[in-house]
Amino acid sequence: GADVAARLRPEIGSAFVASHSVAGSTGLPHAETPYRVVGVLGRTGTAIDRLVLSEVASYSKLQPAL
């Protein structure tokens, strides 16, 4: 989203590693599955401005095996 882009200044084609956390804990990075920036959304004035969006299928690659 627009807020994320303004703060991080991603370039189209650049890669980044996702991480996630729960309420103040430090998240674990997923270095083995980097994401590539393919576009930046324009400002919407909604919560989407604060999100990094990815395809649903990529989420399963980040989940640890149970």
Side-chain angles (χ1 to χ4, degrees), residues 15-20 27-36 61-62:
F16 66 95
V17 175
S19 67
H20 52 88
L28 298 173
H30 296 281
E32 69 281 358
T33 53
Y35 286 92
R36 186 150 319 273
K61 293 178 184 178
L62 298 178

Side-chain angles (χ1 to χ4, degrees), residues 1-61:
D3 292 347
V4 176
R7 189 175 64 212
L8 301 178
R9 303 277 187 219
E11 293 188 23
I12 302 299
S14 63
F16 66 95
V17 175
S19 67
H20 52 88
S21 61
V22 177
S25 66
T26 302
L28 298 173
H30 296 281
E32 69 281 358
T33 53
Y35 286 92
R36 186 150 319 273
V37 177
V38 297
V40 176
L41 297 172
R43 186 164 304 286
T44 65
T46 68
I48 290 173
D49 292 342
R50 298 183 302 273
L51 300 177
V52 173
L53 302 174
S54 65
E55 64 178 298
V56 174
S58 70
Y59 181 75
S60 64
K61 293 178 184 178

